[in-house]
């Protein structure tokens, strides 16, 4: 019976792999249809008088020049991003070493000279753990997008997370790969769990495919499935409870892509919207990790980055909200209880996965 959890995990991985293949086929079919439409005109220009067609040709030539400039700028941006990654790589490596406890900061890495009491410092070092415990666990929980993914049963497993890195897909491929580096732990055999985002191109955030590492769970340690005992409906007082296993919410579901049908034509409008929403939500998580948490990890750990994000969001609100903000403020004040005790409580969160 103890192997049922592993069987269910393996079954879930098989379903996810089939979904990945189906998703890739659907995206390829959609892309072929879009490419077939490119370059075709509506026929409007051909029906215009000669002078108007001449003006349109001039506009098309202008557009072509703009497209050329845009492509050149995009290449410069990609080159600048490559240079940034190269310059930050040794810094991020040093960060990994300090977090893991492989070494201590050098004098050059400290911003200010510190007066140190050698004897007291040695006593403190004897009592301290190596490195910075739970560094990446705290970082992930400091941003709302990733924090809501982490459940109670994930906490200890994430304490073994030593580093998070990002690789940009090169060559003809577009996209990026997130790598979560773990030290040896009692939950799974993998030392690296990766999530790959394959994009249509570098300019538009259109996801063509998602791939996640197959997690090799150790016996009875699968965090994405919950096990509970249920008494049979028809049975005597001595009837043995039935052991049941089902999927549950977990941060580690991040490494399983959204499930889709075997063929694109099986999707109705509602299902297509749900799939699109799942892809957008998944991409948002990947973008947060890539663009915010990895580059500014220590600022999220200390809480300083939260201020930067909130300031940016406030600026956006001021730019686009206008006079309606005053009405919204009045409405928000009216959301308090009639007895004046304060704002009403939000809806409860869904229960987390726990062993029962």
């Amino acid at each position: 019976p103890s192997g049922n959890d592993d069987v269910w995990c393996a079954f879930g991985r098989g379903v996810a792999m089939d979904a990945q293949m189906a998703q890739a086929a659907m995206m390829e079919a959609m892309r072929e249809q879009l490419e077939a439409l490119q370059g075709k005109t509506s026929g409007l220009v051909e029906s215009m008088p000669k002078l108007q067609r001449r003006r349109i040709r001039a506009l098309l030539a202008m557009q072509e020049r703009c497209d050329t400039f845009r492509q050149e700028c995009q290449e410069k941006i990609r080159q600048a991003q490559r240079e940034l990654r190269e310059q930050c790589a040794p810094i991020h490596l040093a960060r990994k070493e300090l977090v893991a406890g492989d070494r201590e900061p050098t004098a050059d890495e400290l911003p200010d000279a510190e007066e140190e009491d050698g004897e007291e410092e040695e006593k403190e070092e004897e009592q301290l753990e190596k490195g910075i415990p739970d560094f990446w666990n705290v970082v992930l929980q400091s941003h709302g997008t990733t924090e809501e993914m982490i459940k109670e049963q994930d906490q200890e497993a994430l304490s073994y997370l030593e580093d998070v890195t990002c690789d940009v897909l090169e060559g003809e491929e577009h996209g990026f790969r997130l790598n979560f580096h773990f030290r040896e732990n009692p939950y799974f055999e993998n030392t690296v769990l990766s999530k790959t985002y394959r994009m249509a191109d570098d300019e538009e955030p259109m996801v063509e495919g998602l791939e996640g590492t197959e997690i090799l769970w150790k016996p009875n340690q699968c965090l994405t499935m919950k096990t509970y005992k249920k008494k049979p409906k028809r049975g005597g007082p001595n009837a043995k409870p039935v052991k049941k296993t089902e999927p549950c919410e977990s941060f580690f579901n991040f490494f399983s892509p959204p499930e889709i049908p075997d063929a694109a034509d099986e999707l109705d409008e509602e299902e297509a919207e749900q799939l699109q929403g799942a892809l957008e939500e998944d991409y948002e998580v990947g973008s947060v990790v890539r663009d915010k948490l990895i580059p500014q990890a220590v600022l999220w750990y200390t809480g300083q980055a939260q201020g930067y994000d909130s300031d940016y969001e406030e600026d956006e609100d001021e730019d686009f909200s206008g006079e309606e903000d005053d009405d919204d403020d009045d409405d928000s004040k009216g959301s308090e209880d009639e007895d004046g005790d304060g704002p009403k409580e939000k809806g409860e969160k869904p229960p987390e996965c726990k062993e029962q």
Side-chain angles (χ1 to χ4, degrees):
S2 61
N4 288 342
D5 293 354
D6 302 328
V7 172
W8 277 100
C9 281
F11 172 76
R13 290 194 295 267
V15 171
M17 291 177 65
D18 291 341
Q20 290 175 19
M21 297 175 63
Q23 180 179 0
M26 183 185 72
M27 292 299 181
E28 181 64 25
M30 292 173 61
R31 184 169 63 178
E32 290 177 356
Q33 292 177 2
L34 291 174
E35 288 176 350
L37 295 174
Q38 288 180 356
K40 293 185 177 180
T41 64
S42 62
L44 176 63
V45 177
E46 289 78 1
S47 64
M48 288 180 175
K50 182 177 180 181
L51 185 57
Q52 289 187 358
R53 293 201 303 271
R54 185 170 180 269
R55 295 167 185 161
I56 292 296
R57 287 200 303 273
L59 292 177
L60 289 172
M62 295 176 188
Q63 181 64 50
E64 187 175 351
R65 290 171 61 194
C66 285
D67 291 342
T68 301
F69 294 148
R70 184 178 293 106
Q71 292 174 0
E72 292 174 353
C73 288
Q74 285 294 331
E75 181 54 38
K76 292 178 181 178
I77 291 173
R78 284 191 286 268
Q79 179 60 33
Q81 290 174 337
R82 283 192 289 268
E83 293 176 1
L84 177 62
R85 290 194 296 270
E86 291 173 0
Q87 293 175 359
C88 288
I91 300 175
H92 288 170
L93 178 60
R95 178 179 69 185
K96 175 186 178 182
E97 294 172 346
L98 291 179
V99 169
D102 296 335
R103 66 177 180 85
E104 294 298 326
T106 64
D108 294 337
E109 292 171 335
L110 295 170
D112 302 311
E114 297 180 352
E115 294 183 4
E116 300 175 349
D117 188 328
E119 186 175 342
E120 289 186 4
E121 187 178 347
E122 288 181 5
K123 291 181 180 179
E124 288 182 0
E125 288 180 356
E126 293 176 358
Q127 300 174 356
L128 287 176
E129 295 183 53
K130 290 176 57 179
I132 306 176
D134 272 340
F135 179 84
W136 283 102
N137 191 5
V138 173
V139 170
L140 290 171
Q141 294 190 64
S142 297
H143 194 287
T145 300
T146 46
E147 186 232 357
E148 65 183 12
M149 300 167 58
I150 300 173
K151 307 306 174 185
E152 183 178 351
Q153 78 271 15
D154 300 323
Q155 295 284 349
E156 185 178 349
L158 287 174
S159 69
Y160 293 91
L161 180 60
E162 288 189 318
D163 196 21
V164 182
T165 60
C166 179
D167 299 327
V168 176
L169 302 185
E170 301 289 350
E172 297 181 357
E173 291 186 310
H174 302 280
F176 59 95
R177 179 179 296 107
L178 301 175
N179 305 301
F180 294 73
H181 304 260
F182 289 83
R183 65 180 183 272
E184 186 177 353
N185 64 82
Y187 292 93
F188 44 81
E189 302 289 350
N190 314 68
T191 57
V192 179
L193 299 179
S194 299
K195 181 70 170 286
T196 302
Y197 293 80
R198 302 190 185 279
M199 316 300 294
D201 55 53
D202 292 333
E203 296 184 29
E204 294 294 332
M206 179 175 153
V207 179
E208 281 194 333
L210 298 171
E211 297 176 10
T213 297
E214 177 184 352
I215 303 179
L216 305 177
W217 297 104
K218 294 183 178 181
N220 301 319
Q221 296 297 330
C222 183
L223 298 175
T224 60
M225 305 292 292
K226 69 176 180 179
T227 303
Y228 62 95
K229 295 180 180 180
K230 184 177 181 181
K231 290 184 177 180
K233 293 182 179 180
R234 296 180 180 179
N238 297 325
K240 293 183 179 180
V242 179
K243 188 177 181 181
K244 293 191 174 288
T245 306
E246 63 183 28
C248 69
E249 293 183 346
S250 168
F251 171 81
F252 293 94
N253 287 325
F254 175 64
F255 300 98
S256 297
E259 296 182 12
I260 62 173
D262 293 339
D265 56 3
E266 293 183 9
L267 287 173
D268 58 30
E269 184 177 353
E270 182 178 353
E271 291 172 334
E273 289 180 357
Q274 291 176 350
L275 174 60
Q276 181 65 25
L279 292 175
E280 291 177 357
E281 182 178 344
D282 200 300
Y283 177 74
E284 179 186 1
V285 175
S287 298
V288 164
V289 176
R290 178 193 63 182
D291 299 334
K292 295 186 177 183
L293 301 188
I294 293 178
Q296 299 177 320
V298 68
L299 298 181
W300 288 100
Y301 181 85
T302 61
Q304 293 170 268
Q306 294 178 351
Y308 298 156
D309 258 24
S310 61
D311 290 344
Y312 176 75
E313 291 171 1
E314 288 175 4
D315 290 343
E316 281 191 331
D317 292 341
E318 291 175 2
D319 290 341
F320 297 103
S321 60
E323 296 179 357
E324 295 180 359
D325 287 348
D326 296 335
D327 298 335
D328 293 341
D329 292 341
D330 293 339
D331 293 341
S332 63
K333 292 177 182 177
S335 65
E336 295 186 356
D337 292 337
E338 295 180 359
D339 56 5
D341 290 340
K344 296 180 180 180
E345 296 181 359
K346 297 180 180 179
E348 295 182 357
K349 295 182 179 180
E352 297 177 356
C353 164
K354 297 181 180 179
E355 293 284 343
Q356 297 183 5

